[in-house]
Each structure stands twice: as C-alpha cells, then as structure tokens.
Amino acid sequence: MNSTYFTSIQTSILNLSTINTEPWFIPLDIINIIFLILVIILGVLFLFIIIIDKTCHTVPVMLVANSCLATLLFTSASLGMTIWSLKNDLEQISYQDSLCIFRGYFAHVTIAAQLHSYLLQAIYRYITVVYPMRLFWQRKQVQSFLIGLSWMCAFIFMLPHVVTSEIQYNADNQLCETPFHLSFVIIYNIIYVYFIPMNGIMSIYFKLILYVK
C-alpha cells in the first residue's frame, strides 16, 4: 500500500512542471470564464422555459432543446477546462489533473451529439415538408428514441479516443485534447463527428430547397 502511495506521488511530481506564462493569459482566461458562465445561464434559462411552458412541448422545440442541451454540456466541459487553465496559469505550472482526460472525452461526446442533433432537425423538417402524411416520424416517441440513440452513439463511438490514449495533455494550452495527426482514430473522428452529419445536413437542405422550388 505504501509503495503504491509513493508511486502515485512520484508520478504526480513528474507530471508537474514550472512554466512561464504570458501576462495576457490570465485576463483571457477570466474573460473566457465569464462568457462561458453567461452561455450556461442562458442555456439553463432556455431549457427551463421549455420545460415549464406547455406550448413548447412540441417535436420541433424538443429537437432544438436537444441541440441546446448539447451546447450547454459542451460549455460546461469547456468551463472546467478554462478554470483549470486559469489555476495553472496563476501558479505558473503545467499539471494534468485526474479529470483532464474525462473532460477531453466529454467535449468530444458533446460536439458529436450537437452536430448530429442538427442532422435530426434537418431530417425532421425534410419529412414534414416532403412527406407530411407520414405521421409516424412526427411522433414524440420516435424523435425521443432518435435523440437518445444519437447520445448513446456519441458516448460509445468516442470511446476509442480514450482506449487508444489519443486524448493527451497539451501543456501549451493547459487542456487534454486529441492532437491532430495522421491516425485511424483521427480519420474515424472526422468521418463520424463532422463528415456524416455535415454532408447529411447539406444534402437534405439542398433537396428541400429543390422540392420547395
């Protein structure tokens, strides 16, 4: 037990190093924290209005609320990163805390969920315009299932970043992120998080514009 304890202490000491931070890092961190807190307050207020106002209990608003929730969670993860960066900048140290990898993983999850939430909105709008009589896809239960499925996929499909140790501590930016380099996980991340939803959204709205014309 004692050997394990001393080993953990030695690892922490090795991970901690003194750095010289620029003077403008600290005010920039403070400004970021202020705006992130503002975004969180507005996001919580928006979701609270949707919950208490029965007129907002519709499928379109539910899909928008899903995007808002993804943004709110991503902002919360970013706030944690920025607070830790401010702490390290004030102490002029470079140190990876125990939650750094988790915050990096959670940021990847929320980004994926946010972009796929926009894809769900595009699919719903296309179906309601082009196939208005197909009421099955307009049910709250169906859209709730799709929302839950998109979140589950986001949590599962982002696990390779953690398993392969792609999420690493960046001492320059004082956060844990996936460095951009040529690897299977990076290509996989680009395809799932960006390529699939963005191309799907553009294709759907392009077809929708042609249909309206």
Side-chain angles (χ1 to χ4, degrees):
M1 180 176 179
N2 291 333
S3 61
T4 305
Y5 176 74
F6 285 115
T7 301
S8 62
I9 293 179
Q10 291 175 357
T11 303
S12 300
I13 294 175
L14 290 174
N15 290 334
L16 191 152
S17 59
T18 304
I19 58 174
N20 293 323
T21 59
E22 296 292 337
W24 53 271
F25 281 4
I26 295 176
L28 184 62
D29 290 336
I30 295 175
I31 293 174
N32 286 335
I33 290 174
I34 293 174
F35 280 104
L36 289 172
I37 292 176
L38 180 61
V39 172
I40 292 175
I41 293 174
L42 293 176
V44 171
L45 179 62
F46 179 74
L47 292 176
F48 179 74
I49 294 174
I50 291 177
I51 293 174
I52 64 174
D53 190 353
K54 293 184 178 180
T55 59
C56 295
H57 296 176
T58 61
V59 174
V61 177
M62 181 177 66
L63 293 172
V64 174
N66 178 45
S67 300
C68 179
L69 177 62
T71 304
L72 179 61
L73 294 178
F74 173 73
T75 306
S76 301
S78 300
L79 179 62
M81 295 179 183
T82 309
I83 291 175
W84 187 259
S85 297
L86 176 61
K87 176 180 177 298
N88 286 352
D89 289 338
L90 289 172
E91 298 177 359
Q92 292 192 350
I93 59 174
S94 174
Y95 177 64
Q96 175 183 344
D97 67 308
S98 58
L99 295 177
C100 188
I101 299 296
F102 173 76
R103 286 196 297 267
Y105 164 73
F106 194 70
H108 281 291
V109 170
T110 50
I111 291 175
Q114 183 178 24
L115 293 179
H116 282 81
S117 71
Y118 298 145
L119 178 60
L120 290 178
Q121 291 184 47
I123 294 173
Y124 176 80
R125 290 164 183 166
Y126 180 82
I127 293 176
T128 54
V129 173
V130 180
Y131 306 105
M133 300 307 297
R134 297 187 180 181
L135 301 180
F136 174 79
W137 295 98
Q138 302 180 32
R139 294 179 181 177
K140 291 182 180 180
Q141 296 83 351
V142 175
Q143 296 301 321
S144 298
F145 170 78
L146 294 177
I147 290 174
L149 182 63
S150 66
W151 277 98
M152 183 179 67
C153 291
F155 277 99
I156 294 176
F157 291 165
M158 291 298 103
L159 283 177
H161 289 77
V162 180
V163 176
T164 58
S165 300
E166 284 289 339
I167 300 178
Q168 302 173 7
Y169 178 66
N170 187 332
D172 294 331
N173 296 323
Q174 298 279 20
L175 54 85
C176 286
E177 60 182 0
T178 303
F180 189 78
H181 62 282
L182 184 59
S183 68
F184 170 77
V185 174
I186 294 296
I187 298 175
Y188 162 85
N189 182 72
I190 293 174
I191 293 175
Y192 173 71
V193 178
Y194 300 101
F195 184 80
I196 293 177
M198 296 305 295
N199 279 271
I201 292 170
M202 290 188 294
S203 299
I204 289 172
Y205 282 125
F206 179 73
K207 291 182 179 180
L208 190 59
I209 291 173
L210 293 180
Y211 178 82
V212 172
K213 285 185 177 181

